[in-house]
Amino acid sequence: MTSNVSVSTVSNSLGVWICALIAVSVVLVQSILYVRLAFKNAEKVGLSKQQCVKGLRSGIISSIGPSISVFVVVFGMAAVIGGPLTWMRLSMIGSSPTELSAAQVGAQTLGVELGSPDYDLTALATSWWTMSVNGLGWLLVVVLFTHRMEKLRQKIGGGDSKWVSILAAAATLGLFGYLSAPNILVGGGKLAAVLGGALSMAFLSKLSKNINWLKEYALGFALIIGMVAGTIIG
């Protein structure tokens, strides 16, 4: 078996850092281009530049909460699969549980545990491949079906904008309800995080009716409050 030192040396080598830098740079350039494209075409959908800036600022603030949880996991992942690949995968996918699970599946395919003394270069390579292949499905769906989603949405809505809005709201509630249900059933800190986030969001949404600037930051504040509540109870 290859020693952990060799695994660490390879997983944090200059070549891997360069490859990760190229991939992350592509994501960064795409983000900049999307923002520029949105601002350029804003007037076509009746949005002013001020509204675009406000929406961008709101999105940045709302991203702080989820980013904190990812940042915490970075250290654990980097110690096992290396800093560059951790940086690259979380910059592209952003889901630390998904990436950790994929790395673990790759290791278990060879009969070893992630980060164990038997975790050699072959296991590391298998984890990396599993993490990469795991993201292919999402990319294929985006390439093959994204351009058809608007037609599907219009067909389901039957041209009724109100029905489409209700359908979108129901789908959103169902999605977040599905994601929250396992945490609610577990109880403890996870339940506290769900309740803390939900109650604080309801309170902040009501409060924002009289405080306009709060609308931009309500989601970000609710996420942070939920995490704090989960940490305290957990």
Side-chain angles (χ1 to χ4, degrees):
M1 290 292 181
T2 306
S3 65
N4 282 333
V5 176
S6 297
V7 170
S8 177
T9 300
V10 172
S11 64
N12 292 285
S13 62
L14 178 61
V16 182
W17 275 110
I18 292 174
C19 291
L21 177 61
I22 294 172
V24 174
S25 297
V26 171
V27 175
L28 180 60
V29 171
Q30 284 180 324
S31 301
I32 295 173
L33 292 176
Y34 289 150
V35 172
R36 287 182 58 188
L37 189 63
F39 272 81
K40 183 178 180 180
N41 294 278
E43 293 184 358
K44 296 180 180 179
V45 294
L47 292 175
S48 65
K49 183 177 180 181
Q50 184 179 6
Q51 288 175 309
C52 290
V53 172
K54 186 177 180 181
L56 180 62
R57 185 169 61 244
S58 177
I60 293 173
I61 296 298
S62 299
S63 69
I64 293 176
S67 298
I68 292 175
S69 62
V70 173
F71 180 74
V72 171
V73 177
V74 163
F75 299 101
M77 284 187 63
V80 180
I81 64 172
L85 200 79
T86 298
W87 177 47
M88 183 187 77
R89 295 303 301 174
L90 294 183
S91 296
M92 298 173 69
I93 303 299
S95 174
S96 48
T98 298
E99 295 305 304
L100 277 173
S101 298
Q104 180 69 22
V105 168
Q108 290 177 345
T109 301
L110 297 179
V112 300
E113 291 296 322
L114 191 65
S116 69
D118 294 329
Y119 190 76
D120 60 4
L121 287 176
T122 303
L124 176 68
T126 307
S127 291
W128 284 6
W129 273 108
T130 306
M131 295 166 71
S132 300
V133 173
N134 185 52
L136 278 179
W138 303 338
L139 294 175
L140 288 174
V141 168
V142 170
V143 172
L144 297 176
F145 300 109
T146 299
H147 64 287
R148 301 177 181 177
M149 289 299 178
E150 180 61 24
K151 292 182 179 179
L152 178 62
R153 188 180 72 87
Q154 293 295 338
K155 186 174 182 179
I156 294 175
D160 188 341
S161 59
K162 291 184 178 180
W163 166 242
V164 172
S165 299
I166 294 173
L167 181 63
T172 302
L173 288 173
L175 173 61
F176 284 101
Y178 175 79
L179 294 174
S180 299
N183 297 313
I184 294 173
L185 295 175
V186 169
K190 292 185 176 182
L191 174 60
V194 173
L195 292 178
L199 293 175
S200 60
M201 187 65 194
F203 173 75
L204 291 171
S205 296
K206 186 175 182 179
L207 192 63
S208 64
K209 293 180 179 179
N210 299 319
I211 306 176
N212 289 329
W213 64 266
L214 188 59
K215 294 179 181 179
E216 299 180 48
Y217 307 100
L219 179 58
F221 287 156
L223 289 169
I224 294 173
I225 291 172
M227 287 190 293
V228 171
T231 301
I232 293 174
I233 302 300

